[in-house]
Amino acid sequence: MLLLICALLIGSAAAVLARRGVLRWAGAAALTTVALLTAGIVELTDAVVEHDGATRIDQPAVDWVLPHRTGWLTRLAVAISDLGDTTTMGAVALVACAWFAYRRRWPQFAVTAAAAAGAGLVVGILKIAVGRARPPVVDHLVTETNQSFPSGHTMGSTAVVGVLTALTVFALRRRAARVAVIAAAAVFVVAVGLSRLYLGVHWPTDIIAGWALGTVDLILCLTLYLRFVRHTEPRMVAQPA
């Protein structure tokens, strides 16, 4: 509760600064969102460590999923999970960075690399620090050997797909195309998280934490990217009539 209050105070302060012109409204919204998500992540991590709070939804959710497994849905879940795994997302980020480097688009290169590296670093640290066990192995449909919290698939796909989606949207001019790209990316990221629950290798709170952490990573990287691009854009020079 204290963390939530602090986050709301930060949001209120950001709104005041935006009204006075110190911050842009987009920056104030980003700051408020990051503060709220960070507070939620801290509370969720504490609940996982203490085995209380939001973790009460974990076992009932897993128990509901198990009887609803079917052959075709299992094959679909495995395919989506493979597309969203850390190896695939790392490869996608690497290919994107290589392309940006080839085109000498260094801001895009930097933000993509930062989002992917940040996701990997945070997941690795939290998995070791929290040390949460996965659901019972007997319920696993795929093999996993590391810790459960947070979901690396979920955070990685949120960060990598999110940053590449944002860069694509920035380059598009048609609103319909932007909406379609955002919708497709959102469906994919949600599907990756749900596939991990379906396959029995993550608790729901692992997945929620992955989405939240990936969103924070994405917002921070894109905020720095937009500020960098804004400050490095060449100013228009007035031409004589």
Side-chain angles (χ1 to χ4, degrees):
M1 181 60 69
L2 179 60
L3 288 172
L4 179 60
I5 293 173
C6 291
L8 291 175
L9 288 175
I10 292 173
S12 300
V16 171
L17 292 175
R19 287 179 62 87
R20 295 190 176 185
V22 178
L23 279 178
R24 294 176 180 266
W25 280 108
L31 180 60
T32 303
T33 303
V34 168
L36 290 171
L37 286 174
T38 301
I41 291 165
V42 173
E43 290 285 352
L44 188 57
T45 304
D46 179 71
V48 168
V49 172
E50 299 294 332
H51 305 288
D52 59 11
T55 60
R56 295 189 181 94
I57 69 172
D58 286 335
Q59 193 61 57
V62 171
D63 291 341
W64 183 87
V65 168
L66 297 180
H68 292 83
R69 289 171 169 174
T70 58
W72 70 268
L73 196 54
T74 297
R75 291 189 292 272
L76 178 62
V78 170
I80 292 173
S81 178
D82 288 343
L83 288 174
D85 70 10
T86 52
T87 301
T88 304
M89 288 296 102
V92 168
L94 186 61
V95 170
C97 286
W99 171 253
F100 291 139
Y102 173 74
R103 298 296 300 272
R104 298 184 183 276
R105 297 180 178 178
W106 302 117
Q108 291 87 343
F109 172 92
V111 72
T112 303
L121 182 63
V122 170
V123 166
I125 292 174
L126 283 178
K127 280 185 179 292
I128 295 173
V130 176
R132 189 185 200 186
R134 292 182 183 270
V137 177
V138 69
D139 296 328
H140 293 191
L141 295 181
V142 292
T143 302
E144 295 291 350
T145 57
N146 60 0
Q147 296 85 359
S148 187
F149 183 90
S151 167
H153 283 59
T154 307
M155 182 176 182
S157 61
T158 301
V160 174
V161 173
V163 74
L164 293 178
T165 298
L167 294 176
T168 302
V169 167
F170 294 155
L172 294 175
R173 295 187 177 183
R174 296 185 61 183
R175 183 176 180 181
R178 291 179 175 181
V179 172
V181 169
I182 293 172
V187 168
F188 175 74
V189 169
V190 171
V192 170
L194 295 179
S195 73
R196 302 301 285 169
L197 175 62
Y198 178 92
L199 295 173
V201 292
H202 274 296
W203 304 103
T205 45
D206 301 334
I207 297 164
I208 294 171
W211 282 328
L213 287 164
T215 302
V216 170
D217 181 21
L218 178 62
I219 292 174
L220 292 176
C221 290
L222 289 178
T223 299
L224 294 174
Y225 166 79
L226 291 174
R227 288 185 64 85
F228 176 80
V229 170
R230 186 181 302 122
H231 289 309
T232 55
E233 285 179 344
R235 295 184 179 182
M236 298 297 293
V237 178
Q239 299 294 329

